């Protein structure tokens, strides 16, 4: 055994808990995305509905301000009523921006690492494949949660401030509804975008396929219905086709969560089952892909 | 100090063999991992770093299994051969990120990132985006991410690729230093003189098999089927050749292109050299130069691989 110098150096600081390894990946993704001006513009536009809703909250709390429109107060109160439906309308409008956010954050999340073979760097560090995927998913979901759940809770807070009814902040059923519906929107988009990102190396191709998978089923179904619906079902359309498109699934589940009339005939449990199956299938593909990826390279 | 042990490690890609039944122990100091392209060097690194499991066998670091054991990965530093950089991040941001992935807190990660950028000669370019770096600078950053957390075991896969001459010298010095400190360092290359500059302890891989390991000239001595080549330059060429040809140890003898040059092949260097020394002394034959020409890395590599 040779004699070594006395300069053997170790890192003497403390190693962080490995349980939080995914947060490093998530935080890096969030920071990196925030630097992109185009993305900040998308977020700003996504905030427009929040501003409009905030204005409505303010007017609803200050009806005397719009008396000069000479609309009967009762009619105004009906229009500006702040109830669960108000929050559902807000969240429904955010679906569109969630789609764009997931598209921008998710398309390159894994595909860029695969293209640059950076997965080797990640996985040779003290992180697992689960940490890696969870960190990437957290990054993709973060901004979507901000523009859905985050801003919906901010609206609840504004409502409490404007009406000085602080007890409205503790409306647990509404909190749960916002939480549930936000997850119904955010989770499938996040998993779908990450799975495509793991399957396709080109960020642009991944984004295009994501958009196609999101919009095309609705377009195809509606065209199909227009052409053959009457011939197939006569006047009693069972509307099972509503199970085949993500926006339809959201509409049905959102209405069920917020206690609104259901837009489609089949029971919402079918829509929930399809959404859960979709997420599970995507998660399985993602898992298989990350397990297999980069071992040969 | 760390010891990495491989026991009967094999790895296949379908029907293609990546690494075949490798058993060895990697100890403190620098070991050169040699082999032609496709020999299995990168596969071996991936198994050593826990990037993929061996199909058979076991890889351990100080007794702890490496596969699926991320808790010990901060003891390992890996500089892969592939280009894998985030173009938008600056060198400083990239190293900070990598240090945090290794488990350092934010303050330590920043401090270590800056120190490491100094070590790899990139202090001035620390805050420039990696996209604006030259190939050599990218290689240095990649090298930096492998050493910044001061691991016990360091794996460098083709670390010199893309480096300018100055960068090569710096890298050789850096690897030397880590070896001297007592870190377990494995450096791969298919360019022999690069390895020769760093170490004379090698592992030779070909077609996934470990053909030889140890110190170069010791390996050479073990290759019995290849006669040792001796080169002598003398002013009394005829007298020396007439005497040497009588030695039973001599397989071939021929005159070289240079004036007074004699090239000898022997199967038994152990008995040939004492006899030659006696001859020179007894007959008072003047010798200008004498050397063995094939116990360098190049020759060993050629004998074993070709």
């Amino acid at each position: 055994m040779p004699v070594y110098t006395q300069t053997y150096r170790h890192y003497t600081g403390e190693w962080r808990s490995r349980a939080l390894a995914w947060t490093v990946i998530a935080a890096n993704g969030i920071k990196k995305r925030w630097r992109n001006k185009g993305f900040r513009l998308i977020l700003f536009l996504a905030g427009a509905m929040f501003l409009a809703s905030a204005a409505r909250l303010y007017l609803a709390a200050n009806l005397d301000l719009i008396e000069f429109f000479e609309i009967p107060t009762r009619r105004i109160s009906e229009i500006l009523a702040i109830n669960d439906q108000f929050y559902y309308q807000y969240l429904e409008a955010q679906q569109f921006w969630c789609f764009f956010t997931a598209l921008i954050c998710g398309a390159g999340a894994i595909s860029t690492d695969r293209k640059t073979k950076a997965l080797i760097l990640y996985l040779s560090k003290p992180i697992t494949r689960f940490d890696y995927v969870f960190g990437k998913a957290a990054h993709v979901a973060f901004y979507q949660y901000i523009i859905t759940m985050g801003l919906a809770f901010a609206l609840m807070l504004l409502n409490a401030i404007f009406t000085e009814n602080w007890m409205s902040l503790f409306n647990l059923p509404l909190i749960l509804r916002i939480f549930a519906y936000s997850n119904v929107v955010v989770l499938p988009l996040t998993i779908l975008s990450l799975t495509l990102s793991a399957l396709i190396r080109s960020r642009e191709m991944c984004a295009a396929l994501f958009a196609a998978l999101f919009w095309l089923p609705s377009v195809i179904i509606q065209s199909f219905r227009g052409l053959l619906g009457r011939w197939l079902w006569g006047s009693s359309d069972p509307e099972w086709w509503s199970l085949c498109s993500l926006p339809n699934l959201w509409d049905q589940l959102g209405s069920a969560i917020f206690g609104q009339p259901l837009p489609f005939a089949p029971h919402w449990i079918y829509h929930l089952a399809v959404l859960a199956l979709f997420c599970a299938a995507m998660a399985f593909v993602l898992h298989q892909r990350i397990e297999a990826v980069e071992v040969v390279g | 100090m760390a010891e990495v042990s491989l026991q009967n490690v094999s790895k296949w890609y379908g029907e293609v063999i990546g690494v075949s039944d490798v058993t060895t122990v990697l100890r403190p100091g620098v070991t050169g991992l040699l082999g032609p392209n496709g020999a299995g060097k990168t596969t071996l690194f991936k198994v050593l770093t826990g990037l993929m499991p061996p199909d058979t066998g076991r890889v351990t670091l100080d007794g702890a299994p490496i596969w699926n054991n991320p808790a010990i990965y901060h003891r390992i530093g890996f500089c892969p051969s592939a280009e894998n950089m985030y173009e938008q991040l600056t060198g400083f941001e990239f190293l900070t990120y990598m240090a945090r992935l290794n488990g350092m807190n934010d303050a330590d990660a920043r401090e270590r990132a800056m120190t490491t950028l100094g070590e790899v000669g990139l202090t001035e370019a620390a805050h420039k985006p990696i996209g604006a770096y030259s190939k050599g600078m990218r290689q240095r950053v990649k090298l930096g991410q492998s050493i910044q957390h001061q691991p016990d075991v360091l794996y460098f896969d083709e670390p010199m690729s893309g480096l300018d001459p100055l960068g090569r010298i710096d890298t050789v010095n850096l690897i030397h230093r880590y070896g001297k400190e007592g870190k377990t360092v494995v450096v791969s290359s298919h360019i022999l003189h690069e390895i020769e500059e760093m170490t004379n302890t090698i592992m030779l891989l070909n077609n996934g098999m470990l053909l030889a390991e140890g110190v170069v000239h010791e390996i050479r001595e073990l290759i019995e089927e290849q006669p040792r080549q001796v080169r002598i330059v003398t002013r009394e060429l005829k007298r020396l050749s007439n005497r040497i040809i009588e030695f039973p140890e001599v397989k071939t003898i021929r005159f070289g292109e240079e004036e007074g040059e004699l090239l000898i092949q022997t199967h038994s260097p152990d008995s040939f050299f004492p006899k030659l020394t006696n001859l020179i002394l007894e007959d008072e034959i003047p010798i200008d130069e004498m050397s063995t020409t094939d116990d360098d890395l190049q020759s060993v590599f050629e004998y074993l691989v070709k």
Side-chain angles (χ1 to χ4, degrees), chain A residues 20-34:
Chain A
L20 294 172
W22 64 271
T23 60
V24 178
I25 297 169
N28 183 66
I30 290 165
K31 262 194 277 181
K32 209 168 83 178
R33 194 58 55 204
W34 181 251

Side-chain angles (χ1 to χ4, degrees), chain A:
Chain A
M1 173 72 75
V3 177
Y4 293 108
T5 61
Q6 301 298 304
T7 54
Y8 192 92
R9 292 167 303 164
H10 263 305
Y11 171 62
T12 48
E14 265 186 43
W15 298 107
R16 275 168 11 114
S17 161
R18 274 209 336 97
L20 294 172
W22 64 271
T23 60
V24 178
I25 297 169
N28 183 66
I30 290 165
K31 262 194 277 181
K32 209 168 83 178
R33 194 58 55 204
W34 181 251
R35 285 185 194 170
N36 186 305
K37 279 182 192 166
F39 181 70
R40 288 206 300 267
L41 178 68
I42 296 273
L43 283 185
F44 177 76
L45 292 174
M49 184 64 186
F50 170 77
L51 294 176
S53 302
R56 184 173 153 184
L57 284 175
Y58 183 75
L59 290 176
N62 300 278
L63 286 174
D64 50 321
L65 287 175
I66 47 176
E67 269 176 357
F68 62 87
F69 283 120
E70 294 178 0
I71 305 168
T73 312
R74 202 174 147 199
R75 178 87 183 104
I76 296 174
S77 344
E78 274 171 20
I79 294 170
L80 297 178
I82 304 304
N83 48 26
D84 288 5
Q85 196 185 353
F86 164 80
Y87 291 97
Y88 178 42
Q89 280 170 355
Y90 167 75
L91 289 171
E92 234 184 345
Q94 297 303 79
Q95 285 176 13
F96 179 75
W97 298 109
C98 278
F99 162 78
F100 272 110
T101 309
L103 180 94
I104 295 168
C105 295
I110 296 176
S111 62
T112 308
D113 288 345
R114 290 193 59 218
K115 201 170 173 182
T116 56
K117 296 188 177 174
L119 219 60
I120 290 178
L121 289 181
Y122 279 103
L123 299 178
S124 63
K125 306 275 182 271
I127 62 165
T128 61
R129 281 163 166 79
F130 176 80
D131 294 331
Y132 173 78
V133 173
F134 199 70
K136 292 286 177 183
H139 144 232
V140 177
F142 177 78
Y143 287 111
Q144 293 181 75
Y145 280 129
I146 291 280
I147 62 175
T148 52
M149 197 158 44
L151 292 184
F153 289 144
L155 287 175
M156 281 182 77
L157 180 65
L158 283 179
N159 187 38
I161 292 169
F162 294 152
T163 58
E164 295 178 3
N165 174 13
W166 299 105
M167 287 312 289
S168 66
L169 282 177
F170 301 100
N171 184 347
L172 191 63
L174 178 60
I175 291 171
L176 289 177
R177 280 173 181 153
I178 291 171
F179 178 79
Y181 185 66
S182 299
N183 278 299
V184 160
V185 174
V186 172
L187 290 181
L189 284 177
T190 302
I191 297 175
L192 176 63
S193 63
L194 279 185
T195 306
L196 293 177
S197 187
L199 287 169
I200 303 163
R201 279 187 194 226
S202 158
R203 180 196 170 101
E204 293 73 22
M205 185 64 86
C206 179
L209 194 60
F210 179 73
L213 282 175
F214 188 81
W215 297 112
L216 272 184
S218 298
V219 173
I220 292 169
I221 287 165
Q222 292 310 323
S223 312
F224 191 70
R225 280 186 70 215
L227 290 170
L228 301 170
R230 195 170 288 275
W231 178 71
L232 278 175
W233 300 303
S235 55
S236 59
D237 182 354
E239 296 181 331
W240 287 109
W241 47 263
S242 64
L243 296 171
C244 302
S245 125
L246 208 46
N248 289 343
L249 294 174
W250 288 341
D251 287 347
Q252 183 80 338
L253 290 171
S255 300
I257 289 168
F258 282 92
Q260 303 297 311
L262 297 179
F264 303 111
H267 195 279
W268 60 265
I269 202 81
Y270 293 111
H271 294 78
L272 182 64
V274 168
L275 196 71
L277 271 174
F278 173 79
C279 289
M282 287 293 136
F284 177 74
V285 174
L286 180 59
H287 173 263
Q288 294 296 102
R289 194 66 200 151
I290 297 297
E291 281 295 308
V293 84
E294 292 293 339
V295 292
V296 186

Side-chain angles (χ1 to χ4, degrees), chain B residues 18-183:
Chain B
V19 172
S20 175
D21 199 26
V22 171
T23 297
T24 189
V25 177
L26 302 167
R27 296 195 170 84
V30 180
T31 303
L33 180 60
L34 273 168
N37 286 331
K41 303 188 294 290
T42 300
T43 301
L44 190 61
F45 275 131
K46 286 183 177 177
V47 171
L48 285 168
T49 49
L51 283 167
M52 58 186 185
D55 289 320
T56 61
R58 199 173 134 83
V59 188
T60 57
L61 169 58
D62 289 338
I66 289 178
W67 168 245
N68 222 0
N69 190 8
I72 61 167
Y73 290 178
H74 64 77
R75 294 187 63 196
I76 299 171
F78 179 42
C79 177
S81 59
E83 180 77 31
N84 30 27
M85 297 283 133
Y86 287 118
E87 308 255 309
Q88 312 95 313
L89 296 183
T90 66
F92 173 72
E93 286 168 339
F94 177 72
L95 288 192
T96 305
Y97 181 39
M98 290 293 126
R100 295 198 66 218
L101 283 178
N102 269 312
M104 289 185 192
N105 64 46
D106 206 31
D108 282 3
R110 284 164 177 274
E111 189 264 320
R112 283 299 308 156
M114 215 57 217
T115 310
T116 307
L117 282 165
E119 280 187 66
V120 295
L122 285 175
T123 308
E124 283 179 20
H127 298 291
K128 284 184 186 164
I130 291 173
Y133 282 11
S134 68
K135 198 173 179 218
M137 289 162 89
R138 286 162 187 247
Q139 189 69 9
R140 285 165 186 248
V141 174
K142 206 166 65 178
L143 204 66
Q145 65 78 31
S146 66
I147 60 172
Q148 63 175 345
H149 54 296
Q150 298 179 318
D152 298 318
V153 185
L154 281 153
Y155 300 122
F156 300 110
D157 194 2
E158 307 275 359
M160 311 288 219
S161 101
L163 287 178
D164 53 38
L166 195 63
R168 294 169 102 87
I169 293 168
D170 289 346
T171 305
V172 168
N173 290 339
L174 188 128
I175 290 170
H176 260 306
R177 201 187 78 208
Y178 279 111
K180 274 189 177 176
E181 278 180 13
K183 307 265 187 194

Side-chain angles (χ1 to χ4, degrees), chain B residues 234-300:
Chain B
T234 174
R235 275 158 280 163
E236 297 198 28
L237 190 62
K238 272 194 177 173
R239 191 152 71 98
L240 180 65
S241 57
N242 283 339
R243 293 297 312 277
I244 282 180
I245 207 158
E246 295 164 5
F247 290 4
E249 293 86 358
V250 171
K251 190 188 174 209
T252 64
I253 183 164
R254 65 187 172 90
F255 300 119
E257 288 173 5
E258 209 177 299
E259 194 182 332
E261 188 182 32
L262 192 62
L263 299 167
I264 303 152
Q265 284 192 321
T266 172
H267 271 303
S268 316
D270 292 346
S271 58
F272 172 76
F273 282 111
K275 271 187 170 178
L276 179 67
T277 311
N278 285 339
L279 171 72
I280 291 164
L281 291 173
E282 281 167 12
D283 290 19
E284 293 180 344
I285 298 172
I287 300 294
D288 296 328
E289 280 180 46
M290 187 166 81
S291 59
T292 53
T293 58
D294 65 345
D295 63 352
D296 60 349
L297 191 50
Q298 177 77 36
S299 308
V300 169

